[in-house]
Amino acid sequence: EPPRSFIDTGAEQSMYTHNGEVRERHFETLAQLLRETDALGMAVEGTLFSHEKGPNLPAEAMERGARGVTERLKPYRNAIVQLWNEDSTEWRRLFDAVKAADPQRLVTSSPGVANVLGDDDHNAAMDLLTPHTVRRSAEVPFYEKGPEQIRMLIEQFGKPVVDDEPARSGPRQFGGIEGGT
């Protein structure tokens, strides 16, 4: 059994085969979502790989998958490609594959779990930043520390920052304030 209930934890549920080929059925689901959100004037950030899925595909297969998905995304300008959720394995190789397939594609990557904001090379390369800010902090509450981290990233790198950590920090079981936020 998968440890968590992610939709792609089964062997046949991933966007990619073991060789990194894109599964048409799963890509068509994504394409339909992109068409529907585009009609609503919305953008979608889609993550290519996630640290929860293990073992990871070999580097060559990940690169093939990143390139293949990006090629197929060309008609969908409302899609932002996030290379990783909570990891940075082969991020440069994947970034280069996406940009080679579609130089105009917006690319981001979450370099790690809560409070891992990425190193300078990673943050300088991305078109926008999607770190997970602090979830718990002994010295400053997360709802104060997170915005400080976002401000620092904006000032240092001069690009948009999208942080999904506050949504997960709200519930008490994930570090939120007793009684709710």
Coordinates of all heavy atoms in Angstrom, one line a residue, residues 18-104:
H18 N 8.2 3.5 -17.1 CA 9.5 3.3 -16.4 C 10.6 3.9 -17.3 O 11.7 4.4 -16.8 CB 9.8 1.9 -16.1 CG 11.1 1.7 -15.4 ND1 11.3 2.2 -14.1 CD2 12.3 1.2 -15.8 CE1 12.6 1.9 -13.7 NE2 13.2 1.3 -14.7
N19 N 10.4 4.0 -18.6 CA 11.4 4.5 -19.5 C 11.2 6.0 -19.7 O 12.0 6.6 -20.5 CB 11.3 3.8 -20.9 CG 11.8 2.4 -20.8 OD1 12.6 2.1 -20.0 ND2 11.1 1.5 -21.6
G20 N 10.2 6.6 -19.1 CA 10.0 8.1 -19.2 C 9.1 8.5 -20.4 O 9.0 9.7 -20.7
E21 N 8.5 7.5 -21.0 CA 7.5 7.8 -22.1 C 6.2 8.3 -21.4 O 5.8 7.8 -20.4 CB 7.2 6.6 -22.9 CG 8.4 6.0 -23.6 CD 9.1 7.0 -24.6 OE1 8.4 7.8 -25.2 OE2 10.4 7.0 -24.6
V22 N 5.6 9.3 -22.1 CA 4.4 9.9 -21.5 C 3.2 9.0 -21.8 O 3.0 8.5 -22.9 CB 4.1 11.3 -22.1 CG1 2.8 11.9 -21.6 CG2 5.3 12.2 -21.8
R23 N 2.4 8.7 -20.8 CA 1.2 7.9 -21.0 C 0.1 8.8 -21.5 O -0.3 9.7 -20.8 CB 0.8 7.2 -19.6 CG 1.7 6.1 -19.2 CD 1.1 5.4 -18.0 NE 1.8 4.2 -17.8 CZ 2.7 4.0 -16.8 NH1 2.9 5.0 -15.9 NH2 3.3 2.8 -16.6
E24 N -0.4 8.4 -22.7 CA -1.4 9.3 -23.4 C -2.6 9.5 -22.5 O -3.1 10.6 -22.5 CB -1.7 8.7 -24.7 CG -2.5 9.6 -25.6 CD -1.8 10.9 -25.9 OE1 -0.6 10.9 -26.1 OE2 -2.5 11.9 -25.9
R25 N -3.1 8.5 -21.9 CA -4.4 8.6 -21.1 C -4.2 9.6 -20.0 O -5.1 10.4 -19.8 CB -4.7 7.2 -20.6 CG -6.0 7.2 -19.8 CD -6.3 5.8 -19.2 NE -5.9 5.9 -17.8 CZ -5.7 4.9 -17.0 NH1 -5.8 3.7 -17.4 NH2 -5.3 5.1 -15.8
H26 N -3.1 9.6 -19.3 CA -2.9 10.5 -18.2 C -2.7 12.0 -18.8 O -3.1 12.9 -18.2 CB -1.8 10.1 -17.3 CG -2.1 8.8 -16.7 ND1 -3.3 8.5 -16.0 CD2 -1.4 7.6 -16.6 CE1 -3.3 7.3 -15.5 NE2 -2.2 6.7 -15.9
F27 N -1.9 12.1 -19.9 CA -1.7 13.4 -20.4 C -3.0 14.0 -20.9 O -3.3 15.2 -20.7 CB -0.7 13.4 -21.6 CG -0.5 14.8 -22.0 CD1 0.4 15.6 -21.3 CD2 -1.2 15.3 -23.1 CE1 0.6 17.0 -21.7 CE2 -1.0 16.7 -23.5 CZ -0.1 17.5 -22.8
E28 N -3.9 13.2 -21.5 CA -5.2 13.7 -21.9 C -6.0 14.3 -20.7 O -6.7 15.3 -20.9 CB -6.0 12.7 -22.7 CG -7.2 13.2 -23.3 CD -7.1 14.5 -24.1 OE1 -6.1 14.7 -24.8 OE2 -8.0 15.4 -23.9
T29 N -5.9 13.6 -19.6 CA -6.6 14.1 -18.4 C -6.1 15.5 -18.0 O -6.8 16.5 -17.8 CB -6.4 13.2 -17.2 OG1 -7.0 11.9 -17.5 CG2 -7.1 13.7 -15.9
L30 N -4.7 15.7 -18.1 CA -4.1 17.0 -17.8 C -4.6 18.0 -18.9 O -4.9 19.1 -18.6 CB -2.6 16.8 -17.8 CG -1.8 18.1 -17.7 CD1 -2.2 18.9 -16.4 CD2 -0.3 17.8 -17.8
A31 N -4.5 17.6 -20.1 CA -4.9 18.5 -21.2 C -6.4 19.0 -21.1 O -6.7 20.2 -21.3 CB -4.7 17.8 -22.6
Q32 N -7.2 18.1 -20.7 CA -8.6 18.5 -20.4 C -8.7 19.5 -19.3 O -9.5 20.5 -19.4 CB -9.5 17.3 -20.1 CG -11.0 17.6 -19.9 CD -11.6 18.2 -21.1 OE1 -11.3 17.8 -22.3 NE2 -12.6 19.1 -20.9
L33 N -8.0 19.3 -18.2 CA -8.0 20.2 -17.1 C -7.4 21.6 -17.6 O -8.0 22.6 -17.2 CB -7.1 19.7 -16.0 CG -6.9 20.6 -14.8 CD1 -8.2 20.8 -14.0 CD2 -5.9 20.0 -13.9
L34 N -6.4 21.6 -18.4 CA -5.8 22.8 -18.9 C -6.8 23.6 -19.8 O -6.9 24.8 -19.8 CB -4.5 22.6 -19.6 CG -3.4 22.1 -18.7 CD1 -2.2 21.6 -19.5 CD2 -3.0 23.2 -17.8
R35 N -7.6 22.8 -20.6 CA -8.6 23.5 -21.5 C -9.7 24.1 -20.6 O -10.1 25.3 -20.9 CB -9.2 22.5 -22.5 CG -8.2 22.1 -23.6 CD -8.9 21.3 -24.7 NE -9.3 19.9 -24.2 CZ -8.5 18.9 -24.3 NH1 -7.3 18.9 -24.7 NH2 -8.9 17.7 -23.8
E36 N -10.1 23.4 -19.6 CA -11.2 23.9 -18.8 C -10.7 25.1 -17.9 O -11.5 26.1 -17.8 CB -11.7 22.8 -17.9 CG -12.5 21.8 -18.7 CD -13.1 20.6 -17.9 OE1 -13.2 20.8 -16.6 OE2 -13.4 19.6 -18.5
T37 N -9.5 25.0 -17.4 CA -9.1 26.2 -16.6 C -8.7 27.4 -17.5 O -9.0 28.5 -17.1 CB -7.8 25.8 -15.8 OG1 -6.8 25.2 -16.6 CG2 -8.2 24.8 -14.7
D38 N -8.3 27.1 -18.7 CA -8.0 28.2 -19.6 C -9.3 29.0 -19.9 O -9.3 30.2 -20.0 CB -7.3 27.7 -20.9 CG -6.9 28.8 -21.8 OD1 -6.2 29.8 -21.3 OD2 -7.2 28.8 -23.0
A39 N -10.4 28.3 -20.1 CA -11.7 28.9 -20.4 C -12.1 29.8 -19.2 O -12.9 30.7 -19.4 CB -12.7 27.8 -20.7
L40 N -11.6 29.5 -18.0 CA -11.9 30.3 -16.9 C -10.9 31.4 -16.6 O -11.0 32.1 -15.6 CB -12.1 29.4 -15.6 CG -13.2 28.3 -15.7 CD1 -13.0 27.3 -14.5 CD2 -14.5 29.0 -15.6
G41 N -9.9 31.5 -17.4 CA -8.8 32.5 -17.3 C -7.9 32.1 -16.2 O -7.2 33.0 -15.6
M42 N -7.7 30.8 -15.9 CA -6.9 30.3 -14.8 C -5.6 29.6 -15.4 O -5.6 29.1 -16.5 CB -7.6 29.3 -14.0 CG -8.8 29.9 -13.3 SD -9.8 28.6 -12.5 CE -8.7 28.0 -11.3
A43 N -4.6 29.6 -14.6 CA -3.3 28.9 -14.9 C -3.2 27.7 -14.0 O -3.9 27.7 -12.9 CB -2.1 29.8 -14.7
V44 N -2.5 26.7 -14.4 CA -2.3 25.5 -13.6 C -0.8 25.2 -13.4 O 0.0 25.3 -14.4 CB -2.9 24.2 -14.3 CG1 -2.6 23.0 -13.6 CG2 -4.4 24.4 -14.4
E45 N -0.4 25.0 -12.2 CA 1.0 24.6 -11.9 C 1.0 23.1 -11.8 O 0.4 22.5 -10.9 CB 1.5 25.2 -10.7 CG 2.9 24.8 -10.3 CD 3.3 25.3 -8.9 OE1 3.5 26.5 -8.8 OE2 3.3 24.5 -8.0
G46 N 1.6 22.4 -12.7 CA 1.7 20.9 -12.7 C 3.1 20.5 -12.3 O 4.1 20.9 -12.9
T47 N 3.2 19.5 -11.4 CA 4.4 19.0 -10.9 C 4.8 17.8 -11.7 O 4.0 16.8 -11.8 CB 4.4 18.7 -9.4 OG1 3.9 19.9 -8.7 CG2 5.7 18.3 -8.9
L48 N 6.0 17.8 -12.3 CA 6.5 16.6 -13.0 C 6.8 15.4 -12.1 O 6.6 14.3 -12.5 CB 7.7 17.0 -13.9 CG 7.5 18.1 -14.9 CD1 8.8 18.3 -15.7 CD2 6.3 17.8 -15.8
F49 N 7.5 15.7 -11.0 CA 8.0 14.6 -10.1 C 7.8 15.1 -8.7 O 7.8 16.2 -8.4 CB 9.5 14.4 -10.4 CG 9.7 14.0 -11.8 CD1 10.3 14.9 -12.7 CD2 9.4 12.7 -12.3 CE1 10.5 14.6 -14.1 CE2 9.6 12.4 -13.7 CZ 10.2 13.3 -14.5
S50 N 7.7 14.1 -7.8 CA 7.4 14.3 -6.4 C 8.3 13.4 -5.6 O 8.5 12.2 -5.9 CB 6.0 14.1 -6.1 OG 5.7 14.3 -4.7
H51 N 8.8 13.9 -4.5 CA 9.7 13.1 -3.6 C 9.0 11.9 -3.0 O 9.6 11.0 -2.6 CB 10.4 14.0 -2.6 CG 9.6 14.1 -1.3 ND1 8.6 14.9 -1.1 CD2 9.8 13.4 -0.1 CE1 8.1 14.8 0.1 NE2 8.8 13.9 0.8
E52 N 7.6 12.0 -2.9 CA 6.9 10.9 -2.2 C 6.9 9.7 -3.1 O 6.6 8.6 -2.6 CB 5.5 11.3 -2.0 CG 5.3 12.4 -0.9 CD 5.3 13.8 -1.5 OE1 5.5 14.0 -2.7 OE2 5.0 14.7 -0.7
K53 N 7.1 9.8 -4.4 CA 7.1 8.6 -5.2 C 8.5 8.0 -5.3 O 9.5 8.6 -5.6 CB 6.7 9.0 -6.6 CG 6.6 7.9 -7.6 CD 6.0 8.3 -8.9 CE 6.0 7.3 -9.9 NZ 4.9 6.4 -9.9
G54 N 8.6 6.8 -4.8 CA 9.9 6.2 -4.8 C 9.8 4.7 -5.2 O 8.8 4.1 -5.1
P55 N 10.8 4.2 -5.8 CA 12.0 4.9 -6.2 C 11.8 5.9 -7.4 O 10.8 5.6 -8.2 CB 13.0 3.8 -6.6 CG 12.2 2.7 -7.1 CD 10.9 2.8 -6.3
N56 N 12.6 6.9 -7.5 CA 12.5 7.8 -8.7 C 12.9 7.0 -10.0 O 13.6 6.1 -9.9 CB 13.4 9.0 -8.5 CG 13.0 9.9 -7.4 OD1 11.8 10.0 -7.1 ND2 13.9 10.4 -6.6
L57 N 12.4 7.6 -11.1 CA 12.9 7.1 -12.4 C 14.3 7.3 -12.5 O 14.9 8.3 -11.9 CB 12.1 7.7 -13.5 CG 10.6 7.5 -13.6 CD1 10.0 8.3 -14.7 CD2 10.3 6.0 -13.9
P58 N 15.0 6.6 -13.4 CA 16.4 6.9 -13.7 C 16.5 8.3 -14.3 O 15.5 8.8 -14.9 CB 16.8 5.8 -14.7 CG 15.9 4.7 -14.5 CD 14.6 5.4 -14.0
A59 N 17.6 9.0 -14.2 CA 17.8 10.4 -14.7 C 17.4 10.5 -16.1 O 16.8 11.5 -16.5 CB 19.2 10.8 -14.4
E60 N 17.8 9.5 -17.0 CA 17.5 9.6 -18.4 C 16.0 9.6 -18.6 O 15.5 10.2 -19.5 CB 18.2 8.5 -19.2 CG 19.7 8.5 -19.1 CD 20.3 8.0 -17.8 OE1 19.6 7.2 -17.1 OE2 21.5 8.4 -17.5
A61 N 15.3 8.7 -17.9 CA 13.9 8.6 -18.0 C 13.2 9.9 -17.5 O 12.2 10.3 -18.1 CB 13.4 7.4 -17.2
M62 N 13.7 10.4 -16.4 CA 13.1 11.7 -16.0 C 13.2 12.8 -17.0 O 12.3 13.5 -17.3 CB 13.7 12.1 -14.6 CG 13.3 11.3 -13.4 SD 13.7 12.1 -11.9 CE 15.5 12.1 -11.9
E63 N 14.4 12.9 -17.6 CA 14.7 13.9 -18.6 C 13.7 13.6 -19.8 O 13.1 14.6 -20.4 CB 16.1 13.8 -19.1 CG 16.5 14.9 -20.1 CD 17.9 14.8 -20.5 OE1 18.7 14.1 -19.9 OE2 18.2 15.5 -21.5
R64 N 13.6 12.4 -20.3 CA 12.7 12.1 -21.4 C 11.3 12.4 -21.1 O 10.6 13.0 -21.9 CB 12.9 10.6 -21.7 CG 12.2 10.1 -23.0 CD 12.4 8.7 -23.3 NE 13.8 8.4 -23.4 CZ 14.5 7.6 -22.5 NH1 13.9 7.0 -21.5 NH2 15.8 7.3 -22.7
G65 N 10.9 12.1 -19.8 CA 9.5 12.5 -19.4 C 9.3 14.0 -19.4 O 8.2 14.5 -19.9
A66 N 10.2 14.7 -18.8 CA 10.1 16.2 -18.8 C 10.0 16.8 -20.2 O 9.2 17.6 -20.4 CB 11.3 16.8 -18.0
R67 N 10.9 16.3 -21.1 CA 10.9 16.8 -22.4 C 9.5 16.4 -23.1 O 8.9 17.3 -23.8 CB 12.1 16.3 -23.2 CG 12.2 16.9 -24.5 CD 13.5 16.4 -25.3 NE 14.7 16.3 -24.6 CZ 15.2 15.2 -24.1 NH1 14.6 14.0 -24.4 NH2 16.3 15.2 -23.4
G68 N 9.1 15.2 -22.9 CA 7.9 14.7 -23.6 C 6.6 15.5 -23.2 O 5.8 15.9 -24.0
V69 N 6.5 15.7 -21.8 CA 5.3 16.4 -21.3 C 5.4 17.9 -21.8 O 4.4 18.4 -22.3 CB 5.3 16.4 -19.8 CG1 4.3 17.4 -19.3 CG2 4.9 15.0 -19.3
T70 N 6.6 18.5 -21.8 CA 6.7 19.9 -22.2 C 6.4 20.0 -23.7 O 5.7 21.0 -24.1 CB 8.1 20.4 -21.9 OG1 8.4 20.2 -20.5 CG2 8.2 21.8 -22.3
E71 N 6.8 19.1 -24.5 CA 6.4 19.1 -26.0 C 4.9 19.1 -26.1 O 4.4 19.9 -26.9 CB 7.1 18.0 -26.7 CG 8.5 18.1 -27.0 CD 8.9 19.1 -28.1 OE1 8.0 19.4 -28.9 OE2 10.1 19.5 -28.1
R72 N 4.3 18.3 -25.4 CA 2.8 18.1 -25.5 C 2.1 19.3 -24.9 O 0.9 19.6 -25.2 CB 2.4 16.9 -24.8 CG 2.8 15.6 -25.6 CD 2.6 14.4 -24.8 NE 3.1 13.2 -25.5 CZ 2.4 12.2 -25.8 NH1 1.1 12.1 -25.5 NH2 2.9 11.2 -26.5
L73 N 2.8 20.1 -24.0 CA 2.1 21.2 -23.4 C 2.2 22.5 -24.2 O 1.5 23.5 -23.9 CB 2.8 21.5 -22.0 CG 2.5 20.6 -20.9 CD1 3.4 21.0 -19.7 CD2 1.0 20.7 -20.5
K74 N 2.9 22.4 -25.3 CA 3.1 23.7 -26.1 C 1.8 24.4 -26.5 O 1.7 25.6 -26.4 CB 3.8 23.3 -27.4 CG 5.3 23.2 -27.2 CD 6.1 23.0 -28.5 CE 7.5 22.9 -28.2 NZ 8.3 22.7 -29.4
P75 N 0.7 23.7 -26.8 CA -0.6 24.4 -27.1 C -1.2 25.1 -25.8 O -2.1 25.9 -26.0 CB -1.5 23.4 -27.6 CG -0.7 22.2 -28.0 CD 0.5 22.3 -27.1
Y76 N -0.8 24.7 -24.7 CA -1.4 25.1 -23.4 C -0.5 26.2 -22.7 O 0.4 25.8 -21.9 CB -1.7 23.9 -22.5 CG -2.5 22.9 -23.2 CD1 -1.8 21.8 -23.7 CD2 -3.8 23.0 -23.4 CE1 -2.5 20.8 -24.4 CE2 -4.6 22.0 -24.1 CZ -3.9 20.9 -24.6 OH -4.6 20.0 -25.2
R77 N -0.7 27.4 -23.0 CA 0.1 28.5 -22.4 C -0.3 28.8 -21.0 O 0.4 29.6 -20.3 CB 0.1 29.7 -23.3 CG 0.5 29.6 -24.7 CD 1.7 28.6 -24.9 NE 2.9 29.1 -24.3 CZ 4.0 28.4 -24.3 NH1 4.1 27.2 -24.9 NH2 5.1 28.8 -23.7
N78 N -1.3 28.2 -20.4 CA -1.7 28.4 -19.1 C -1.1 27.4 -18.1 O -1.5 27.3 -17.0 CB -3.2 28.4 -18.9 CG -3.9 27.1 -19.3 OD1 -3.5 26.4 -20.2 ND2 -4.9 26.8 -18.5
A79 N -0.1 26.7 -18.5 CA 0.5 25.7 -17.7 C 1.9 26.1 -17.3 O 2.7 26.5 -18.1 CB 0.6 24.3 -18.4
I80 N 2.1 26.1 -16.0 CA 3.4 26.3 -15.4 C 4.0 24.9 -15.0 O 3.3 24.1 -14.4 CB 3.4 27.2 -14.1 CG1 2.8 28.6 -14.5 CG2 4.7 27.3 -13.5 CD1 2.4 29.4 -13.2
V81 N 5.2 24.7 -15.4 CA 5.9 23.4 -15.1 C 6.6 23.5 -13.8 O 7.6 24.3 -13.7 CB 6.8 22.9 -16.2 CG1 7.6 21.7 -15.8 CG2 6.0 22.6 -17.5
Q82 N 6.3 22.7 -12.8 CA 7.1 22.6 -11.6 C 7.8 21.3 -11.7 O 7.3 20.2 -11.9 CB 6.2 22.6 -10.3 CG 7.1 22.6 -9.1 CD 6.3 22.6 -7.8 OE1 5.5 21.7 -7.5 NE2 6.4 23.6 -7.0
L83 N 9.2 21.4 -11.7 CA 10.0 20.2 -11.9 C 9.8 19.2 -10.7 O 9.6 18.0 -11.0 CB 11.5 20.6 -11.9 CG 11.8 21.6 -13.0 CD1 13.3 22.0 -12.9 CD2 11.5 21.1 -14.4
W84 N 9.9 19.7 -9.5 CA 9.8 18.8 -8.3 C 8.9 19.4 -7.3 O 8.8 20.6 -7.1 CB 11.2 18.7 -7.7 CG 12.0 17.6 -8.3 CD1 13.1 17.9 -9.2 CD2 12.0 16.2 -8.1 NE1 13.6 16.7 -9.6 CE2 13.0 15.6 -9.0 CE3 11.2 15.4 -7.4 CZ2 13.2 14.3 -9.0 CZ3 11.4 14.0 -7.4 CH2 12.4 13.5 -8.3
N85 N 8.3 18.5 -6.5 CA 7.6 18.9 -5.3 C 8.5 18.3 -4.2 O 8.6 17.1 -4.1 CB 6.2 18.3 -5.2 CG 5.6 18.7 -3.9 OD1 5.7 19.8 -3.4 ND2 4.9 17.7 -3.3
E86 N 9.1 19.2 -3.4 CA 9.9 18.8 -2.2 C 11.1 18.0 -2.5 O 11.5 17.0 -1.8 CB 9.0 18.1 -1.2 CG 7.9 19.0 -0.7 CD 7.0 18.3 0.4 OE1 7.2 17.1 0.7 OE2 6.2 19.1 0.9
D87 N 11.8 18.3 -3.6 CA 13.1 17.6 -3.9 C 13.7 18.5 -5.0 O 13.2 19.4 -5.4 CB 12.8 16.2 -4.5 CG 14.0 15.3 -4.5 OD1 15.1 15.8 -4.2 OD2 13.8 14.1 -4.7
S88 N 15.0 18.1 -5.3 CA 15.7 18.8 -6.4 C 16.6 17.9 -7.1 O 17.6 18.3 -7.7 CB 16.4 20.0 -5.8 OG 17.3 19.5 -4.8
T89 N 16.3 16.6 -7.2 CA 17.1 15.7 -7.9 C 17.2 16.0 -9.4 O 16.1 16.1 -10.0 CB 16.5 14.2 -7.7 OG1 16.4 13.9 -6.3 CG2 17.4 13.2 -8.4
E90 N 18.4 16.2 -9.9 CA 18.6 16.4 -11.3 C 17.8 17.7 -11.8 O 17.4 17.8 -13.0 CB 18.2 15.2 -12.2 CG 19.0 14.0 -11.9 CD 20.4 14.0 -12.5 OE1 20.7 14.9 -13.3 OE2 21.2 13.2 -12.1
W91 N 17.6 18.7 -10.9 CA 16.8 19.8 -11.3 C 17.3 20.5 -12.5 O 16.6 21.0 -13.4 CB 16.5 20.8 -10.1 CG 17.7 21.6 -9.7 CD1 18.6 21.3 -8.8 CD2 18.1 22.8 -10.3 NE1 19.6 22.3 -8.7 CE2 19.3 23.2 -9.7 CE3 17.6 23.6 -11.4 CZ2 20.0 24.4 -10.0 CZ3 18.3 24.8 -11.7 CH2 19.5 25.2 -11.0
R92 N 18.7 20.7 -12.6 CA 19.3 21.4 -13.7 C 19.0 20.7 -15.0 O 18.7 21.3 -16.0 CB 20.7 21.6 -13.5 CG 21.5 22.3 -14.6 CD 20.9 23.6 -15.1 NE 21.3 24.6 -14.2 CZ 21.0 25.9 -14.4 NH1 20.3 26.3 -15.5 NH2 21.4 26.8 -13.6
R93 N 19.2 19.4 -15.0 CA 19.0 18.6 -16.2 C 17.5 18.7 -16.6 O 17.2 18.8 -17.8 CB 19.3 17.1 -15.8 CG 19.3 16.2 -17.0 CD 19.7 14.8 -16.6 NE 19.8 13.9 -17.7 CZ 20.5 12.8 -17.7 NH1 21.2 12.4 -16.6 NH2 20.6 12.1 -18.8
L94 N 16.6 18.6 -15.7 CA 15.2 18.7 -16.0 C 14.8 20.1 -16.5 O 14.1 20.3 -17.5 CB 14.3 18.3 -14.8 CG 14.5 16.9 -14.3 CD1 13.7 16.6 -13.1 CD2 14.2 15.9 -15.4
F95 N 15.4 21.1 -15.9 CA 15.1 22.5 -16.3 C 15.6 22.7 -17.7 O 14.8 23.2 -18.5 CB 15.9 23.5 -15.3 CG 15.7 24.9 -15.7 CD1 14.6 25.6 -15.2 CD2 16.7 25.5 -16.5 CE1 14.5 27.0 -15.5 CE2 16.5 26.9 -16.8 CZ 15.4 27.6 -16.3
D96 N 16.8 22.2 -18.0 CA 17.3 22.4 -19.4 C 16.5 21.6 -20.4 O 16.3 22.1 -21.5 CB 18.8 21.9 -19.4 CG 19.7 22.8 -18.7 OD1 19.3 24.0 -18.3 OD2 20.9 22.4 -18.4
A97 N 16.0 20.4 -20.0 CA 15.1 19.7 -20.9 C 13.8 20.4 -21.2 O 13.4 20.5 -22.4 CB 14.8 18.3 -20.3
V98 N 13.2 21.0 -20.2 CA 12.0 21.7 -20.4 C 12.2 23.0 -21.3 O 11.5 23.2 -22.2 CB 11.3 22.1 -19.0 CG1 10.2 23.1 -19.2 CG2 10.9 20.9 -18.3
K99 N 13.2 23.7 -21.0 CA 13.5 24.9 -21.7 C 14.0 24.6 -23.2 O 13.7 25.4 -24.1 CB 14.6 25.8 -21.0 CG 14.1 26.5 -19.8 CD 13.0 27.5 -20.1 CE 12.6 28.3 -18.9 NZ 11.7 29.4 -19.2
A100 N 14.6 23.5 -23.4 CA 15.0 23.1 -24.8 C 13.7 22.8 -25.5 O 13.6 23.1 -26.7 CB 15.9 21.9 -24.7
A101 N 12.8 22.2 -24.9 CA 11.5 21.8 -25.6 C 10.6 23.0 -25.8 O 9.9 23.1 -26.8 CB 10.8 20.7 -24.8
D102 N 10.6 24.0 -24.9 CA 9.7 25.1 -24.9 C 10.4 26.3 -24.2 O 10.2 26.4 -23.0 CB 8.4 24.8 -24.3 CG 7.4 25.9 -24.5 OD1 7.7 27.0 -25.0 OD2 6.2 25.7 -24.1
P103 N 11.2 27.1 -24.9 CA 12.0 28.1 -24.2 C 11.1 29.2 -23.4 O 11.5 29.8 -22.5 CB 12.7 28.8 -25.3 CG 12.8 27.8 -26.4 CD 11.6 27.0 -26.3
Q104 N 9.8 29.3 -23.9 CA 8.9 30.3 -23.2 C 8.2 29.7 -22.1 O 7.4 30.5 -21.4 CB 8.0 30.8 -24.3 CG 8.6 31.5 -25.4 CD 9.6 32.6 -25.0 OE1 9.2 33.5 -24.2 NE2 10.8 32.6 -25.4

